[in-house]
Amino acid sequence: MKRNLIFIVSALVLLCFGAQAQDFAWQAQLAPVTQRGYHRVLLSPQVTGHAQPNLEDVRLFNAKGQAVPYLLRSEVPVQYRTLFKPYQILRYTRKPGGTSELLVHNPEKRSINNISLLIGNAEVRKQVSLSGSDDQQDWYVLKEQDLLYAIRNTQKTAEVKLLDFPLTDYRYFRLQLNDSASAPLNILQAGYYDTYSEAGKYTRIPVHSFTRVDSAQNHTTYLRLRFGQPVYPEQVTFHISAPQLYHRPGKVVLGKEKVYQRRRKKRRRARMEEISVPLLLSSNAPAVLDLPRQKVEELVIQIENADNPPLTLDSVQVLQLNRYLVAALEPNQAYTLRFGNEKLAAPEYDLEFFQDSIPRNLPVVQVQAVKALAAAKKKTRSNGSKILIWAAIALLAAGLGYMTVRLLRDMEKKG
């Protein structure tokens, strides 16, 4: 009886706290998908602004109310990629017992200082020499002698070997390999590695209201952008049409935050400190400013004009980096996104262990209009949860009192 009573009361308390933990303030429907498989759900500024900073409280549910596992992926401002770009091999003359020749074409006369060879695995060392030419008639030495070492790759059947030489822009390169002591190498490709940058993808944050004041007294232009809800701006772009040449310093004020200072007698005192980012608008550079990720409801931009007329601004755009939920979705199914719960921790899904198995380039699904859950309903549920908790506490107290009385009676009988 004691165990049953304790179990019932504990379950009731856990149920009450569990109901509180699942209180979401916002929800949104996903646009329907047309094919089965993994998709990227693009989280709009309305979603990220009302969710926890790191999106721990975002949950995806299917039509049956079941949680759908997902991965969280984010764009980065700039990412660098390295690609192997092959040259055209005009001919590869193999001469077992002699000198084999590989002729490589550099049609764009690109300035290079290395050639990478994709070679089938082999356990051998080869002496090689390299020369260059623009007409395949007159050849000039680039590297008199080099050594390609043994190639062993347990993961793949081919390996890339790098051959360095002084920077040059010949149209043709001739690689001569000494095959007097062993059979020729299986050279599959010759090329170079090219590193390029790729900018991350951004979403424009809607501006609820925009005001501009050009102060003649302060020689400063003040721009105030209000968003009408919390957002996380990460980039501001300015579209300036006049004058043709300009150089204007300024700053972007993100807001104020509490900064605690340690005082004497180990007391701390809070003060408000402005969060701002220096700004420089110049006709010699893109009018783009990256911002630290900070939750705000407005931005104030100050542009110092000195004795110049104010800039002609066609528009000011505020952007945030794209963030996605990667999840397996079914066609003709309704999916709901819920968020806005400060008590929830990040979910733990098995998909975390299979990130490399899911492609990066997936179809994108949009989030439809964000809706606030009824405040009255939420308040009623909250009040109901509190009543249930107090009822559970009262029941627990009554149960403990009842058991104490029975225990005293048993002791009297035994006495």
Side-chain angles (χ1 to χ4, degrees), residues 31-270:
V33 301
T34 58
Q35 60 184 18
R36 181 182 183 183
Y38 285 99
H39 292 71
R40 287 180 295 167
V41 179
L42 176 60
L43 301 180
S44 65
Q46 291 80 5
V47 173
T48 57
H50 288 301
Q52 292 187 37
N54 295 319
L55 307 175
E56 298 97 328
D57 57 331
V58 175
R59 298 292 186 272
L60 182 61
F61 297 97
N62 60 20
K64 298 180 181 179
Q66 299 169 331
V68 179
Y70 66 82
L71 287 174
L72 185 63
R73 285 181 179 172
S74 301
E75 298 275 352
V76 294
V78 180
Q79 54 184 333
Y80 296 93
R81 299 183 183 275
T82 302
L83 292 178
F84 179 80
K85 295 187 176 181
Y87 286 125
Q88 179 185 5
I89 296 179
L90 297 181
R91 65 173 180 268
Y92 181 25
T93 306
R94 301 171 182 83
K95 294 182 178 179
T99 301
S100 298
E101 288 189 356
L102 178 74
L103 186 61
V104 177
H105 192 199
N106 180 23
E108 299 176 358
K109 289 182 63 66
R110 180 187 300 272
S111 296
I112 61 174
N113 61 2
N114 71 85
I115 291 179
S116 295
L117 301 175
L118 183 63
I119 304 175
N121 287 346
E123 190 171 352
V124 67
R125 292 190 302 173
K126 293 282 186 181
Q127 288 186 347
V128 298
S129 62
L130 183 71
S131 55
S133 172
D134 284 325
D135 56 9
Q136 298 191 54
Q137 299 298 322
D138 300 318
W139 292 93
Y140 304 95
V141 65
L142 289 173
K143 203 153 194 176
E144 182 178 5
Q145 188 172 339
D146 203 348
L147 195 64
L148 287 179
Y149 286 91
I151 302 168
R152 261 189 200 177
N153 189 335
T154 59
Q155 304 297 324
K156 298 181 181 179
T157 59
E159 180 71 53
V160 174
K161 301 299 290 183
L162 189 68
L163 186 65
D164 294 312
F165 49 86
L167 185 67
T168 186
D169 63 350
Y170 287 117
R171 192 179 300 275
Y172 304 97
F173 294 92
R174 183 177 65 184
L175 183 67
Q176 295 178 304
L177 302 96
N178 185 356
D179 291 332
S180 60
S182 60
L185 291 173
N186 182 19
I187 299 178
L188 305 173
Q189 282 184 318
Y192 66 100
Y193 282 96
D194 188 19
T195 301
Y196 68 98
S197 61
E198 182 178 311
K201 296 180 177 63
Y202 289 81
T203 295
R204 185 174 179 177
I205 299 175
V207 176
H208 186 261
S209 66
F210 175 87
T211 58
R212 170 175 178 163
V213 176
D214 295 311
S215 174
Q217 181 179 1
N218 297 333
H219 302 282
T220 303
T221 295
Y222 297 91
L223 308 175
R224 186 181 295 272
L225 294 81
R226 293 184 174 91
F227 305 106
Q229 70 150 74
V231 294
Y232 288 90
E234 294 173 277
Q235 190 178 90
V236 182
T237 61
F238 301 84
H239 299 272
I240 303 169
S241 56
Q244 184 177 3
L245 300 175
Y246 56 88
H247 184 91
R248 310 287 173 91
K251 65 179 179 179
V252 176
V253 180
L254 298 170
K256 295 184 177 181
E257 67 175 353
K258 285 185 177 181
V259 178
Y260 292 94
Q261 292 181 319
R262 191 170 291 279
R263 312 287 290 182
R264 292 182 179 179
K265 297 181 181 180
K266 298 182 179 181
R267 297 176 62 185
R268 294 198 308 168
R269 183 176 179 181

Side-chain angles (χ1 to χ4, degrees), residues 223-331:
L223 308 175
R224 186 181 295 272
L225 294 81
R226 293 184 174 91
F227 305 106
Q229 70 150 74
V231 294
Y232 288 90
E234 294 173 277
Q235 190 178 90
V236 182
T237 61
F238 301 84
H239 299 272
I240 303 169
S241 56
Q244 184 177 3
L245 300 175
Y246 56 88
H247 184 91
R248 310 287 173 91
K251 65 179 179 179
V252 176
V253 180
L254 298 170
K256 295 184 177 181
E257 67 175 353
K258 285 185 177 181
V259 178
Y260 292 94
Q261 292 181 319
R262 191 170 291 279
R263 312 287 290 182
R264 292 182 179 179
K265 297 181 181 180
K266 298 182 179 181
R267 297 176 62 185
R268 294 198 308 168
R269 183 176 179 181
R271 63 182 178 85
M272 300 302 291
E273 185 175 274
E274 184 179 87
I275 306 171
S276 63
V277 179
L279 169 67
L280 178 61
L281 297 176
S282 173
S283 53
N284 294 328
V288 178
L289 177 67
D290 292 322
L291 301 175
R293 193 167 187 266
Q294 176 79 24
K295 180 186 283 190
V296 300
E297 294 196 24
E298 68 174 23
L299 289 181
V300 177
I301 303 172
Q302 300 179 20
I303 305 172
E304 300 175 13
N305 299 316
D307 295 323
N308 305 290
L311 297 173
T312 300
L313 292 169
D314 295 335
S315 67
V316 179
Q317 294 183 356
V318 184
L319 310 170
Q320 73 171 31
L321 280 166
N322 286 354
R323 286 169 174 79
Y324 310 93
L325 300 186
V326 177
L329 304 179
E330 299 283 345

